[in-house]
Amino acid sequence: AVREAMTQFNSQEAYSDKRELLADETQKRLVGRIAALLAERQYDGQAVAVQQVLLRDVKLPTQIRASIEQKLAAEQEAQRMVFVLQKETQEAERKRIEARGIKDFQNIVREGIDEQLLRWKGIEATERLAESQNTKIVVIGGTDGLPLILNSGK
């Protein structure tokens, strides 16, 4: 009955994901063969009750089993790569959104910065520089009235 049922499945299915279907098919064939044997002997009652067929250990030749395991591993690796690609696609979309946000921020800031604001920030920096304990000399000059930075390391 098991051999007959196995003809309906390929080796990989019997070894992995369709084992329960193989067990169900085996049970149907086993019940049918028992009924045929009882009928052949002209027995009217039910001598055997088959409740469930369990396939505990499907033993395939080593080479076939190794081939199936390699195929299953390759399928799992392919699924993992699909997941990785989806994750990377989502990350790329996240970075695009972040970059758009940064660009929008920079455009808003750029529109709000003008010559007067820069001059005001320069004056504030000059005041802080003049009040600093480390300041020895503050030179104000140039055409714009902002501080000259001496010995800036350039």
Side-chain angles (χ1 to χ4, degrees):
V2 173
R3 285 188 188 130
E4 288 175 5
M6 271 297 288
T7 61
Q8 308 242 334
F9 300 90
N10 65 39
S11 304
Q12 181 180 350
E13 292 171 338
Y15 188 67
S16 60
D17 58 344
K18 294 192 177 178
R19 185 181 283 192
E20 288 181 28
L21 294 174
L22 175 60
D24 292 343
E25 184 64 29
T26 301
Q27 182 173 341
K28 287 178 197 171
R29 291 179 183 272
L30 183 61
V31 168
R33 295 212 31 177
I34 291 171
L37 286 172
L38 292 175
E40 190 179 292
R41 292 187 171 48
Q42 298 176 350
Y43 184 80
D44 289 338
Q46 184 177 0
V48 178
V50 179
Q51 294 179 342
Q52 188 177 15
V53 172
L54 299 173
L55 297 177
R56 294 186 184 180
D57 190 19
V58 177
K59 292 189 180 189
L60 299 172
T62 306
Q63 190 174 13
I64 292 174
R65 189 173 62 243
S67 175
I68 290 170
E69 288 172 356
Q70 287 174 350
K71 183 178 179 187
L72 292 174
E75 287 174 355
Q76 288 176 350
E77 180 64 18
Q79 289 175 351
R80 187 184 75 77
M81 287 307 296
V82 167
F83 172 76
V84 168
L85 289 174
Q86 288 173 344
K87 182 180 170 188
E88 292 300 323
T89 301
Q90 290 173 343
E91 179 64 14
E93 182 61 24
R94 184 196 69 76
K95 287 181 178 181
R96 265 192 292 283
I97 292 169
E98 182 182 15
R100 274 189 239 125
I102 291 170
K103 181 182 176 189
D104 291 346
F105 169 76
Q106 289 173 341
N107 288 339
I108 291 168
V109 169
R110 188 179 308 118
E111 290 172 5
I113 295 177
D114 60 1
E115 191 62 35
Q116 291 177 340
L117 178 63
L118 292 174
R119 184 174 299 281
W120 177 254
K121 290 293 183 183
I123 293 169
E124 287 177 341
T126 304
E127 288 176 347
R128 284 193 304 274
L129 186 61
E131 293 170 354
S132 171
Q133 296 290 329
N134 295 328
T135 303
K136 304 292 184 213
I137 299 173
V138 176
V139 178
I140 310 280
T143 57
D144 55 6
L146 293 177
L148 298 173
I149 300 178
L150 304 175
N151 199 11
S152 63
K154 289 186 179 178

Short mmCIF file of all heavy atoms in Angstrom, two decimals, residues 15-63:
data_model
loop_
_atom_site.label_atom_id
_atom_site.label_comp_id
_atom_site.label_asym_id
_atom_site.label_seq_id
_atom_site.Cartn_x
_atom_site.Cartn_y
_atom_site.Cartn_z
N TYR A 15 9.27 13.17 1.21
CA TYR A 15 10.30 13.42 2.22
C TYR A 15 10.00 14.67 3.03
O TYR A 15 10.48 14.81 4.14
CB TYR A 15 11.65 13.54 1.53
CG TYR A 15 12.83 13.61 2.46
CD1 TYR A 15 13.19 12.53 3.24
CD2 TYR A 15 13.59 14.77 2.55
CE1 TYR A 15 14.28 12.58 4.09
CE2 TYR A 15 14.68 14.83 3.39
CZ TYR A 15 15.02 13.73 4.16
OH TYR A 15 16.09 13.80 5.00
N SER A 16 9.19 15.57 2.49
CA SER A 16 9.03 16.84 3.19
C SER A 16 7.57 17.24 3.36
O SER A 16 6.87 16.70 4.21
CB SER A 16 9.81 17.93 2.46
OG SER A 16 9.31 18.05 1.12
N ASP A 17 7.09 18.12 2.50
CA ASP A 17 5.86 18.85 2.78
C ASP A 17 4.56 18.08 2.54
O ASP A 17 3.54 18.46 3.07
CB ASP A 17 5.83 20.15 1.98
CG ASP A 17 5.95 19.93 0.49
OD1 ASP A 17 6.34 18.83 0.08
OD2 ASP A 17 5.64 20.88 -0.27
N LYS A 18 4.56 16.98 1.82
CA LYS A 18 3.31 16.26 1.54
C LYS A 18 3.28 14.88 2.22
O LYS A 18 2.58 13.99 1.77
CB LYS A 18 3.11 16.13 0.04
CG LYS A 18 2.89 17.47 -0.63
CD LYS A 18 2.40 17.34 -2.02
CE LYS A 18 2.14 18.73 -2.60
NZ LYS A 18 1.71 18.67 -3.97
N ARG A 19 3.98 14.76 3.30
CA ARG A 19 4.04 13.48 4.00
C ARG A 19 2.66 13.07 4.52
O ARG A 19 2.28 11.90 4.47
CB ARG A 19 5.02 13.56 5.16
CG ARG A 19 5.21 12.21 5.85
CD ARG A 19 6.16 12.30 6.99
NE ARG A 19 7.52 12.35 6.47
CZ ARG A 19 8.60 12.21 7.19
NH1 ARG A 19 8.50 12.05 8.49
NH2 ARG A 19 9.79 12.26 6.66
N GLU A 20 1.88 14.03 5.01
CA GLU A 20 0.54 13.72 5.52
C GLU A 20 -0.38 13.24 4.40
O GLU A 20 -1.18 12.31 4.60
CB GLU A 20 -0.07 14.94 6.21
CG GLU A 20 0.59 15.26 7.53
CD GLU A 20 -0.05 16.47 8.21
OE1 GLU A 20 -1.24 16.73 7.96
OE2 GLU A 20 0.65 17.13 8.98
N LEU A 21 -0.27 13.85 3.23
CA LEU A 21 -1.06 13.38 2.10
C LEU A 21 -0.67 11.97 1.70
O LEU A 21 -1.52 11.14 1.35
CB LEU A 21 -0.90 14.33 0.91
CG LEU A 21 -1.45 15.74 1.09
CD1 LEU A 21 -1.10 16.62 -0.10
CD2 LEU A 21 -2.95 15.71 1.29
N LEU A 22 0.61 11.67 1.76
CA LEU A 22 1.09 10.32 1.47
C LEU A 22 0.52 9.34 2.49
O LEU A 22 0.07 8.24 2.13
CB LEU A 22 2.62 10.28 1.48
CG LEU A 22 3.26 8.90 1.30
CD1 LEU A 22 2.85 8.27 -0.02
CD2 LEU A 22 4.78 9.02 1.39
N ALA A 23 0.49 9.72 3.77
CA ALA A 23 -0.06 8.85 4.81
C ALA A 23 -1.55 8.61 4.57
O ALA A 23 -2.04 7.48 4.71
CB ALA A 23 0.17 9.46 6.19
N ASP A 24 -2.30 9.65 4.19
CA ASP A 24 -3.73 9.49 3.90
C ASP A 24 -3.95 8.56 2.71
O ASP A 24 -4.83 7.69 2.74
CB ASP A 24 -4.37 10.86 3.62
CG ASP A 24 -4.43 11.75 4.84
OD1 ASP A 24 -4.28 11.22 5.97
OD2 ASP A 24 -4.61 12.97 4.68
N GLU A 25 -3.17 8.74 1.66
CA GLU A 25 -3.29 7.89 0.47
C GLU A 25 -2.93 6.44 0.82
O GLU A 25 -3.59 5.51 0.37
CB GLU A 25 -2.38 8.42 -0.64
CG GLU A 25 -2.50 7.68 -1.95
CD GLU A 25 -3.88 7.79 -2.59
OE1 GLU A 25 -4.57 8.80 -2.40
OE2 GLU A 25 -4.26 6.83 -3.30
N THR A 26 -1.91 6.26 1.65
CA THR A 26 -1.52 4.91 2.08
C THR A 26 -2.66 4.27 2.87
O THR A 26 -2.98 3.09 2.67
CB THR A 26 -0.24 4.98 2.94
OG1 THR A 26 0.80 5.57 2.18
CG2 THR A 26 0.19 3.60 3.39
N GLN A 27 -3.28 5.03 3.75
CA GLN A 27 -4.39 4.50 4.55
C GLN A 27 -5.55 4.06 3.65
O GLN A 27 -6.10 2.98 3.83
CB GLN A 27 -4.87 5.54 5.56
CG GLN A 27 -5.98 5.02 6.46
CD GLN A 27 -6.33 5.99 7.57
OE1 GLN A 27 -5.57 6.88 7.89
NE2 GLN A 27 -7.50 5.80 8.15
N LYS A 28 -5.90 4.88 2.67
CA LYS A 28 -6.98 4.51 1.74
C LYS A 28 -6.65 3.21 1.02
O LYS A 28 -7.50 2.31 0.91
CB LYS A 28 -7.19 5.62 0.71
CG LYS A 28 -7.85 6.85 1.24
CD LYS A 28 -7.96 7.89 0.13
CE LYS A 28 -8.24 9.26 0.71
NZ LYS A 28 -8.15 10.30 -0.32
N ARG A 29 -5.44 3.11 0.52
CA ARG A 29 -5.04 1.90 -0.22
C ARG A 29 -4.98 0.69 0.72
O ARG A 29 -5.36 -0.42 0.33
CB ARG A 29 -3.72 2.13 -0.91
CG ARG A 29 -3.85 3.12 -2.05
CD ARG A 29 -2.52 3.36 -2.74
NE ARG A 29 -2.66 4.36 -3.78
CZ ARG A 29 -3.00 4.11 -5.04
NH1 ARG A 29 -3.24 2.87 -5.42
NH2 ARG A 29 -3.10 5.08 -5.91
N LEU A 30 -4.50 0.87 1.95
CA LEU A 30 -4.42 -0.22 2.91
C LEU A 30 -5.82 -0.73 3.26
O LEU A 30 -6.07 -1.94 3.27
CB LEU A 30 -3.68 0.24 4.17
CG LEU A 30 -3.44 -0.80 5.26
CD1 LEU A 30 -2.58 -1.94 4.72
CD2 LEU A 30 -2.76 -0.15 6.45
N VAL A 31 -6.73 0.17 3.53
CA VAL A 31 -8.11 -0.22 3.85
C VAL A 31 -8.72 -0.97 2.66
O VAL A 31 -9.40 -2.00 2.82
CB VAL A 31 -8.95 1.02 4.24
CG1 VAL A 31 -10.43 0.69 4.29
CG2 VAL A 31 -8.49 1.57 5.58
N GLY A 32 -8.47 -0.46 1.45
CA GLY A 32 -8.98 -1.13 0.25
C GLY A 32 -8.40 -2.52 0.08
O GLY A 32 -9.13 -3.48 -0.27
N ARG A 33 -7.13 -2.69 0.33
CA ARG A 33 -6.49 -4.02 0.18
C ARG A 33 -7.00 -5.00 1.24
O ARG A 33 -7.24 -6.17 0.95
CB ARG A 33 -4.98 -3.89 0.28
CG ARG A 33 -4.47 -3.07 -0.91
CD ARG A 33 -3.20 -3.36 -1.44
NE ARG A 33 -2.71 -4.71 -1.38
CZ ARG A 33 -1.57 -5.05 -1.90
NH1 ARG A 33 -0.85 -4.14 -2.52
NH2 ARG A 33 -1.13 -6.27 -1.82
N ILE A 34 -7.18 -4.50 2.47
CA ILE A 34 -7.71 -5.38 3.53
C ILE A 34 -9.13 -5.82 3.17
O ILE A 34 -9.49 -7.00 3.31
CB ILE A 34 -7.66 -4.67 4.90
CG1 ILE A 34 -6.21 -4.50 5.36
CG2 ILE A 34 -8.47 -5.44 5.94
CD1 ILE A 34 -6.05 -3.64 6.59
N ALA A 35 -9.95 -4.86 2.70
CA ALA A 35 -11.32 -5.20 2.32
C ALA A 35 -11.33 -6.22 1.18
O ALA A 35 -12.14 -7.16 1.18
CB ALA A 35 -12.07 -3.94 1.92
N ALA A 36 -10.42 -6.07 0.23
CA ALA A 36 -10.34 -7.00 -0.89
C ALA A 36 -9.94 -8.40 -0.41
O ALA A 36 -10.50 -9.41 -0.87
CB ALA A 36 -9.36 -6.50 -1.94
N LEU A 37 -8.96 -8.46 0.50
CA LEU A 37 -8.54 -9.76 1.04
C LEU A 37 -9.67 -10.44 1.82
O LEU A 37 -9.87 -11.67 1.70
CB LEU A 37 -7.32 -9.59 1.94
CG LEU A 37 -5.98 -9.32 1.24
CD1 LEU A 37 -4.91 -8.97 2.26
CD2 LEU A 37 -5.57 -10.54 0.44
N LEU A 38 -10.41 -9.67 2.60
CA LEU A 38 -11.52 -10.24 3.37
C LEU A 38 -12.63 -10.72 2.44
O LEU A 38 -13.22 -11.78 2.66
CB LEU A 38 -12.05 -9.23 4.38
CG LEU A 38 -11.11 -8.87 5.54
CD1 LEU A 38 -11.69 -7.76 6.39
CD2 LEU A 38 -10.81 -10.10 6.38
N ALA A 39 -12.90 -9.95 1.40
CA ALA A 39 -13.93 -10.35 0.44
C ALA A 39 -13.49 -11.60 -0.31
O ALA A 39 -14.32 -12.48 -0.61
CB ALA A 39 -14.20 -9.20 -0.54
N GLU A 40 -12.23 -11.67 -0.61
CA GLU A 40 -11.68 -12.84 -1.30
C GLU A 40 -11.87 -14.11 -0.46
O GLU A 40 -12.10 -15.19 -1.00
CB GLU A 40 -10.19 -12.58 -1.56
CG GLU A 40 -9.50 -13.55 -2.46
CD GLU A 40 -8.04 -13.14 -2.65
OE1 GLU A 40 -7.80 -12.09 -3.28
OE2 GLU A 40 -7.17 -13.87 -2.14
N ARG A 41 -11.80 -13.98 0.83
CA ARG A 41 -11.97 -15.12 1.73
C ARG A 41 -13.42 -15.25 2.21
O ARG A 41 -13.71 -16.00 3.13
CB ARG A 41 -11.02 -14.99 2.91
CG ARG A 41 -9.57 -15.16 2.44
CD ARG A 41 -8.61 -15.19 3.55
NE ARG A 41 -7.26 -15.55 3.25
CZ ARG A 41 -6.49 -15.09 2.28
NH1 ARG A 41 -6.96 -14.25 1.42
NH2 ARG A 41 -5.24 -15.47 2.15
N GLN A 42 -14.26 -14.42 1.62
CA GLN A 42 -15.70 -14.43 1.90
C GLN A 42 -16.00 -14.19 3.38
O GLN A 42 -16.83 -14.84 3.99
CB GLN A 42 -16.31 -15.75 1.43
CG GLN A 42 -16.15 -15.95 -0.05
CD GLN A 42 -16.66 -17.30 -0.51
OE1 GLN A 42 -16.97 -18.18 0.29
NE2 GLN A 42 -16.74 -17.47 -1.81
N TYR A 43 -15.30 -13.22 3.91
CA TYR A 43 -15.52 -12.82 5.31
C TYR A 43 -16.39 -11.57 5.29
O TYR A 43 -16.06 -10.57 4.66
CB TYR A 43 -14.18 -12.56 6.00
CG TYR A 43 -14.31 -12.23 7.47
CD1 TYR A 43 -14.50 -13.25 8.40
CD2 TYR A 43 -14.27 -10.92 7.92
CE1 TYR A 43 -14.62 -12.97 9.74
CE2 TYR A 43 -14.39 -10.63 9.27
CZ TYR A 43 -14.57 -11.65 10.16
OH TYR A 43 -14.69 -11.37 11.50
N ASP A 44 -17.54 -11.62 6.00
CA ASP A 44 -18.51 -10.52 5.97
C ASP A 44 -18.22 -9.44 7.02
O ASP A 44 -18.58 -8.30 6.83
CB ASP A 44 -19.93 -11.05 6.18
CG ASP A 44 -20.42 -11.83 4.97
OD1 ASP A 44 -19.87 -11.59 3.88
OD2 ASP A 44 -21.34 -12.65 5.13
N GLY A 45 -17.62 -9.75 8.09
CA GLY A 45 -17.40 -8.80 9.18
C GLY A 45 -16.18 -7.91 8.95
O GLY A 45 -15.55 -7.93 7.89
N GLN A 46 -15.90 -7.12 9.97
CA GLN A 46 -14.73 -6.25 9.90
C GLN A 46 -13.68 -6.81 10.84
O GLN A 46 -13.76 -6.68 12.05
CB GLN A 46 -15.10 -4.82 10.30
CG GLN A 46 -13.95 -3.86 10.16
CD GLN A 46 -14.35 -2.42 10.50
OE1 GLN A 46 -15.48 -2.14 10.84
NE2 GLN A 46 -13.40 -1.52 10.40
N ALA A 47 -12.68 -7.45 10.27
CA ALA A 47 -11.65 -8.10 11.07
C ALA A 47 -10.58 -7.13 11.54
O ALA A 47 -9.98 -7.31 12.58
CB ALA A 47 -10.99 -9.23 10.27
N VAL A 48 -10.35 -6.10 10.75
CA VAL A 48 -9.30 -5.13 11.06
C VAL A 48 -9.88 -3.73 10.92
O VAL A 48 -10.55 -3.41 9.94
CB VAL A 48 -8.10 -5.29 10.10
CG1 VAL A 48 -7.04 -4.26 10.40
CG2 VAL A 48 -7.52 -6.69 10.21
N ALA A 49 -9.59 -2.87 11.89
CA ALA A 49 -10.00 -1.45 11.82
C ALA A 49 -8.74 -0.61 11.72
O ALA A 49 -7.92 -0.58 12.64
CB ALA A 49 -10.81 -1.06 13.04
N VAL A 50 -8.58 0.06 10.63
CA VAL A 50 -7.42 0.94 10.44
C VAL A 50 -7.85 2.34 10.87
O VAL A 50 -8.70 2.95 10.24
CB VAL A 50 -6.94 0.93 8.97
CG1 VAL A 50 -5.76 1.88 8.81
CG2 VAL A 50 -6.60 -0.47 8.52
N GLN A 51 -7.26 2.82 11.95
CA GLN A 51 -7.63 4.14 12.47
C GLN A 51 -6.78 5.25 11.85
O GLN A 51 -7.29 6.31 11.50
CB GLN A 51 -7.50 4.19 13.99
CG GLN A 51 -8.49 3.28 14.67
CD GLN A 51 -8.32 3.31 16.18
OE1 GLN A 51 -7.29 3.74 16.71
NE2 GLN A 51 -9.34 2.86 16.88
N GLN A 52 -5.50 4.98 11.74
CA GLN A 52 -4.61 6.01 11.22
C GLN A 52 -3.31 5.37 10.76
O GLN A 52 -2.81 4.44 11.39
CB GLN A 52 -4.32 7.06 12.30
CG GLN A 52 -3.57 8.26 11.81
CD GLN A 52 -3.39 9.31 12.92
OE1 GLN A 52 -3.57 9.03 14.10
NE2 GLN A 52 -3.03 10.50 12.52
N VAL A 53 -2.76 5.89 9.68
CA VAL A 53 -1.46 5.45 9.20
C VAL A 53 -0.49 6.59 9.46
O VAL A 53 -0.72 7.72 9.03
CB VAL A 53 -1.48 5.10 7.70
CG1 VAL A 53 -0.09 4.83 7.18
CG2 VAL A 53 -2.38 3.89 7.46
N LEU A 54 0.56 6.29 10.19
CA LEU A 54 1.58 7.29 10.48
C LEU A 54 2.87 6.90 9.77
O LEU A 54 3.32 5.77 9.89
CB LEU A 54 1.84 7.39 11.99
CG LEU A 54 0.65 7.79 12.85
CD1 LEU A 54 1.01 7.67 14.33
CD2 LEU A 54 0.21 9.20 12.52
N LEU A 55 3.45 7.83 9.07
CA LEU A 55 4.75 7.61 8.44
C LEU A 55 5.78 8.26 9.33
O LEU A 55 5.92 9.48 9.36
CB LEU A 55 4.77 8.22 7.03
CG LEU A 55 3.79 7.62 6.03
CD1 LEU A 55 3.86 8.36 4.71
CD2 LEU A 55 4.09 6.15 5.82
N ARG A 56 6.47 7.46 10.07
CA ARG A 56 7.44 7.99 11.03
C ARG A 56 8.78 8.28 10.40
O ARG A 56 9.42 9.26 10.71
CB ARG A 56 7.62 7.03 12.19
CG ARG A 56 6.37 6.90 13.01
CD ARG A 56 6.63 6.06 14.21
NE ARG A 56 5.37 5.89 14.93
CZ ARG A 56 5.25 5.21 16.02
NH1 ARG A 56 6.29 4.62 16.54
NH2 ARG A 56 4.10 5.11 16.61
N ASP A 57 9.22 7.40 9.55
CA ASP A 57 10.56 7.56 9.01
C ASP A 57 10.56 7.12 7.55
O ASP A 57 10.50 5.93 7.26
CB ASP A 57 11.55 6.71 9.83
CG ASP A 57 12.99 7.01 9.47
OD1 ASP A 57 13.25 8.08 8.89
OD2 ASP A 57 13.86 6.18 9.78
N VAL A 58 10.60 8.10 6.68
CA VAL A 58 10.68 7.80 5.26
C VAL A 58 12.15 7.69 4.91
O VAL A 58 12.90 8.66 5.04
CB VAL A 58 10.00 8.91 4.41
CG1 VAL A 58 10.16 8.63 2.94
CG2 VAL A 58 8.53 9.04 4.79
N LYS A 59 12.56 6.50 4.52
CA LYS A 59 13.97 6.29 4.20
C LYS A 59 14.14 6.22 2.70
O LYS A 59 13.60 5.34 2.05
CB LYS A 59 14.50 5.00 4.85
CG LYS A 59 14.57 5.11 6.35
CD LYS A 59 15.28 3.94 6.95
CE LYS A 59 15.31 4.14 8.47
NZ LYS A 59 16.15 3.20 9.12
N LEU A 60 14.88 7.16 2.21
CA LEU A 60 15.19 7.21 0.79
C LEU A 60 16.67 6.88 0.62
O LEU A 60 17.45 7.03 1.56
CB LEU A 60 14.90 8.61 0.24
CG LEU A 60 13.45 9.07 0.34
CD1 LEU A 60 13.35 10.54 -0.05
CD2 LEU A 60 12.55 8.24 -0.55
N PRO A 61 17.07 6.49 -0.56
CA PRO A 61 18.50 6.28 -0.78
C PRO A 61 19.29 7.55 -0.46
O PRO A 61 18.79 8.67 -0.64
CB PRO A 61 18.57 5.94 -2.28
CG PRO A 61 17.22 5.41 -2.61
CD PRO A 61 16.25 6.14 -1.72
N THR A 62 20.49 7.36 0.02
CA THR A 62 21.32 8.48 0.49
C THR A 62 21.49 9.56 -0.57
O THR A 62 21.37 10.75 -0.27
CB THR A 62 22.70 7.95 0.93
OG1 THR A 62 22.51 6.91 1.88
CG2 THR A 62 23.53 9.05 1.54
N GLN A 63 21.73 9.15 -1.80
CA GLN A 63 21.96 10.13 -2.87
C GLN A 63 20.71 10.95 -3.13
O GLN A 63 20.78 12.17 -3.30
CB GLN A 63 22.40 9.41 -4.14
CG GLN A 63 22.90 10.34 -5.21
CD GLN A 63 23.48 9.56 -6.40
OE1 GLN A 63 23.28 8.36 -6.50
NE2 GLN A 63 24.17 10.25 -7.27
#
